[in-house]
Amino acid sequence: MILFFADMDNTLIYSHKRDIGSDKIGVEFYPEKNQMISYMTKTSWKLLQKVAHKLLFIPTTTRTIEQYQRINLGFVPLYALVCNGGILLENGQENMRWYADSRELAAPAKKEIERASVLLKQDEYRSYPLKNIRDLVLFTKSNNPIKTVEQLHKSLDLSMVDVICNQAKVYVIPKKIDKGTACRRLKEKLYADCTIAAGDSVFDISMLAAADIALAPKRLCDAYDVKANGICDEEQQFFSEYILKYVLDYRTNFARI
């Protein structure tokens, strides 16, 4: 069995703010704004339907359950990992045993998460309500994320938590609640033979390292010295199309062995 772990945003789907041309399919409708906010290229959408029939495709995202479930890929994946891998959905329903195990993995970092919460509530640069998502992910936004992250780095035990900045967004996450750990857990649960992972951001680095086959954009590899089996030059090709074609080719060759 081959497991294909794929990040969502900027890996398979793209924000409406990014110009991907007119040949696209809307995959995320946001009711509060009454608009389509995420798209896939038509080529990617068609390729994904093929991928989903040939191997076990597992969306793997830092999104919450509610944010993930806004996405319509044309089918419901059998498994999905959300909240940075801390929550497992099976046929769209939460696996509570997985969540309980995630809470245990996160427990050693509880004091650091509480300390981070206090710091962020007092942070003069915070520009968004502080969110503690299921005791797995602490999240907010900052008008000066560099300063916010700098303060967190000075005050927290970084052997217990990761502090991640994505533009204005700031996250504090227990060390064991990462995509790489989640991939290893699911591979063991499903007795999989091989894992493929694709992702474009710092959240995905642990997942890429944990996989047998890693697919990443050149910019991520250059910025963080990420080692990947397949590296996409996004100036030449959409990352989403690159990874799906790679996976289909790999699946074909794997079947011949």
Side-chain angles (χ1 to χ4, degrees), residues 6-9 59-65 67-68 81-86 133 136-139 164 166 171 173 177-179 201-204:
D7 174 53
M8 291 282 98
D9 296 279
T60 308
T61 177
T62 307
R63 286 178 175 235
T64 64
I65 294 176
Q67 291 169 336
Y68 165 73
L81 289 163
V82 301
C83 289
N84 221 41
I133 304 167
L136 299 174
V137 177
L138 196 64
F139 164 76
I164 299 174
N166 183 8
Y171 302 79
I173 308 175
I177 305 302
D178 66 90
K179 293 185 181 183
S201 77
V202 65
F203 289 103
D204 304 311

Side-chain angles (χ1 to χ4, degrees), residues 99-168:
Y99 175 59
D101 290 344
S102 295
R103 289 285 302 274
E104 287 186 19
L105 289 172
K110 182 179 180 181
K111 289 184 178 179
E112 293 308 303
I113 293 294
E114 291 173 350
R115 184 175 289 113
S117 181
V118 171
L119 290 168
L120 288 169
K121 285 178 181 177
Q122 298 173 346
D123 183 9
E124 63 180 301
Y125 301 111
R126 184 167 59 85
S127 59
Y128 187 81
L130 182 63
K131 305 287 186 180
N132 186 327
I133 304 167
R134 305 285 296 274
D135 292 325
L136 299 174
V137 177
L138 196 64
F139 164 76
T140 191
K141 295 180 183 179
S142 172
N143 287 325
N144 192 337
I146 293 175
K147 287 289 187 182
T148 297
V149 168
E150 184 179 273
Q151 179 59 36
L152 291 170
H153 279 172
K154 287 180 180 178
S155 305
L156 299 178
D157 181 352
L158 298 180
S159 70
M160 302 301 295
V161 295
D162 286 319
V163 178
I164 299 174
C165 177
N166 183 8
Q167 298 181 339

Side-chain angles (χ1 to χ4, degrees), residues 4 42-57 73 75 244-245 247-248 251:
F4 172 40
K42 280 188 179 179
T43 297
S44 293
W45 193 88
K46 291 175 182 177
L47 288 170
L48 181 59
Q49 312 311 305
K50 294 179 181 179
V51 165
H53 281 90
K54 291 184 176 294
L55 42 73
L56 194 53
F57 162 62
L73 299 173
F75 61 95
L244 292 168
K245 289 174 183 176
V247 168
L248 285 172
R251 175 64 180 83

Side-chain angles (χ1 to χ4, degrees), residues 192-211:
D193 302 302
C194 176
T195 56
I196 305 172
D200 76 295
S201 77
V202 65
F203 289 103
D204 304 311
I205 292 174
S206 64
M207 176 173 72
L208 296 169

Side-chain angles (χ1 to χ4, degrees), residues 7 15 26 32 58-59 83 97 110 112 115 168 172-173 176 187 197 205 213 223 230 257:
D7 174 53
S15 166
E32 292 182 20
I58 304 162
C83 289
R97 178 68 259 172
K110 182 179 180 181
E112 293 308 303
R115 184 175 289 113
V172 183
I173 308 175
K176 294 293 181 68
K187 180 181 181 180
I205 292 174
I213 303 293
I257 298 175

Side-chain angles (χ1 to χ4, degrees), residues 225-237:
D225 194 27
V226 172
K227 307 302 180 187
N229 303 86
I231 300 174
C232 176
D233 182 350
E234 292 172 293
E235 293 183 2
Q236 304 295 323
Q237 186 176 14

